[in-house]
Structures are given as C-alpha cells and as structure tokens.
Amino acid sequence: IRQFERDWSTEGSRERDKCYSPIINAVSSRYKDPTGISVLVPGAGLGRLAFEFASRGYNCEGNEFSIFMLIGSNFVLNKTDSVSFDIFPWSTCTTNNVTHAERIRSVTVPDIDTTQIPESAQFGMCAGDFTEVYAKDTERFDVVAASFFLDTAHNIIEYIELIYKMLKPGGHLVSLGPLLYHYAGMPNQPSLEIPWEDVLSIIKQVGFVIEEIEDVPEVPYIDNNFSMVSVLYKCKFLVARKPET
C-alpha cells in the first residue's frame, strides 16, 4: 500500500522527483524524439516510471518479479478507468507518530489519468526474473532505465553483462540507486556485495562508455513525511553508453 503512495499519489511526488526525474530527463535529453525508441524498466514495481516513459511516447516495457507488485500495477494501470480512490498507507504504523490524525491520513491514488498514453506508444509489463526473462535477448532495447534496481541482483555482474547484451549499439543504461544489496545476509541466498568503485570498474570493463556520474544525496524510499524518523540514501546516478561498434 505504501508503494501506491510512492508511485501514484501527489504526496509521493517528492520521492519520484528524486528517484525518477533524473532518469527521465537523461533519456529525454538524449532521445528527444521518442518515436520508435524502446525503453526497458526493470524492477518496475507498481509501474509509474514505465508509465512516465510510455506517456511521453516511448515504447516501454516494465519488468517485475513480485506477484504483489504485478497485481498492483495491473490494477492501477488497467482497472481504475480514470477513477481515483483513497488509501491509508500508514494506518498500521504504530511508531514515530506525532498525532493520531497523521497516522490515519489518507492519500488519493492514482494522481493521474493512467489511460492517457499516445496511440503511437507501445506499453506493457513482463512478469518474471530479470536474468531469466531476458537471457536470450540481444540488442533489443535503446535504453535500460533502472531505479533502485542494480542492487537487487544475486550477482550484480550478471545484471551488468545482461544489460550490455540487450542494449542496441549506441544504447544507454541510465541508473539511479544505492547498493543496499537485496539478498545481503539472507540464509542460503548467494549475494555478491561489492563497493561502488568495483561496480563502476565492471561497467567499464564490460564495454560501456561512461557519459555521466553524479552523487544524489538525501534520496527517500517509501518515506513518511510526517514520521519522527526518516531514512535517506546517498545514491549514485549513472549514464553509460554501449558503443556503436
């Protein structure tokens, strides 16, 4: 439910401005004409970033592994029929509340008409594990737009190599996120946890040309604006290009 606030409410715009806007701007500045440009959004969650690309005219495919996220994105993208509704994302949160009213406050979702996608744009969601679904894809996408995604891998090197393979020559990886490493500390789950300097070195060794790197401080993720506690990430923003030859 809190993901709905992040992706599909006015209150979530603060997070989206930090997490999604730099990615959207980087793609828009490099591909000013979206016609025929294919964008993959892995780890698409409830689908807002993928929707933002499709609504701008890009051919966009979101990929998501979680069945709960897939059900949620299908509902908001296909079943709301331009109707908004109220949810109470923080009603079960019993700690760090200042007032009762803030705990049970409602937010309205979605904050935008999800049917407004240009007829020229193709938009869809693909269910499944990223490394399995796209294992056989070669030079299929112009852009891989990854928000809080690279560190969800068991092996981040496998992600980087697969992204390079699936990009067309001249295509771009645009990524923003931390290195929390989703499987860190989980029993019986392999997890390669390397620092950013190694991640960047591997990106270069695979063949990418680095076009842009930026530190993005104080990035929230499912943050309660009214809570007495807040977790902020110091993220890395990266634009890397696959050479033409």
Side-chain angles (χ1 to χ4, degrees):
I1 291 179
R2 294 170 189 174
Q3 285 278 3
F4 272 102
E5 179 186 38
R6 180 178 191 263
D7 261 16
W8 293 105
S9 76
T10 301
E11 288 81 354
S13 62
R14 180 175 72 102
E15 289 195 21
R16 296 196 300 273
D17 286 344
K18 279 280 191 176
C19 299
Y20 297 164
S21 292
I23 295 174
I24 295 169
N25 293 338
V27 174
S28 299
S29 66
R30 289 166 172 80
Y31 300 90
K32 293 181 172 60
D33 182 2
T35 306
I37 300 299
S38 56
V39 179
L40 173 66
V41 179
L46 292 179
R48 182 61 182 257
L49 180 57
F51 169 82
E52 290 292 342
F53 280 115
S55 68
R56 288 166 169 78
Y58 294 92
N59 294 332
C60 190
E61 179 171 305
N63 166 243
E64 179 55 50
F65 177 76
S66 168
I67 185 63
F68 303 106
M69 293 293 185
L70 289 164
I71 292 171
S73 64
N74 178 62
F75 172 72
V76 74
L77 291 169
N78 298 316
K79 306 298 183 181
T80 54
D81 294 327
S82 305
V83 176
S84 297
F85 52 93
D86 290 338
I87 61 173
F88 301 82
W90 302 101
S91 60
T92 59
C93 182
T94 59
T95 59
N96 292 300
N97 292 300
V98 177
T99 68
H100 289 290
E102 289 169 358
R103 175 184 171 188
I104 61 173
R105 64 183 174 85
S106 65
V107 299
T108 301
V109 296
D111 64 332
I112 191 171
D113 184 353
T114 58
T115 66
Q116 299 303 308
I117 294 176
E119 293 184 2
S120 60
Q122 299 177 11
F123 181 35
M125 295 286 287
C126 178
D129 180 87
F130 175 70
T131 57
E132 296 177 0
V133 171
Y134 298 103
K136 297 182 180 180
D137 282 356
T138 301
E139 298 183 1
R140 178 181 170 191
F141 295 99
D142 296 288
V143 177
V144 173
S147 176
F148 278 67
F149 174 72
L150 291 183
D151 64 341
T152 66
H154 287 285
N155 182 343
I156 194 171
I157 299 174
E158 185 178 13
Y159 270 18
I160 295 168
E161 291 177 338
L162 179 55
I163 290 170
Y164 188 86
K165 183 172 77 76
M166 69 200 315
L167 281 172
K168 299 175 183 178
H172 288 84
L173 164 63
V174 185
S175 173
L176 188 151
L179 291 177
L180 183 63
Y181 290 116
H182 179 79
Y183 294 100
M186 287 191 181
N188 304 315
Q189 292 287 352
S191 180
L192 178 62
E193 300 143 20
I194 56 178
W196 172 251
E197 64 177 353
D198 290 343
V199 173
L200 186 58
S201 176
I202 291 163
I203 289 172
K204 294 176 181 177
Q205 290 179 41
V206 165
F208 280 106
V209 176
I210 306 300
E211 290 190 350
E212 189 175 348
I213 296 178
E214 183 180 342
D215 292 324
V216 185
E218 299 185 357
V219 180
Y221 191 92
I222 313 182
D223 192 45
N224 183 354
N225 295 337
F226 296 93
S227 175
M228 297 169 68
V229 66
S230 181
V231 177
L232 300 174
Y233 291 93
K234 298 178 180 178
C235 291
K236 293 291 186 180
F237 174 68
L238 167 80
V239 181
R241 174 175 48 84
K242 181 177 180 177
E244 292 281 355
T245 56

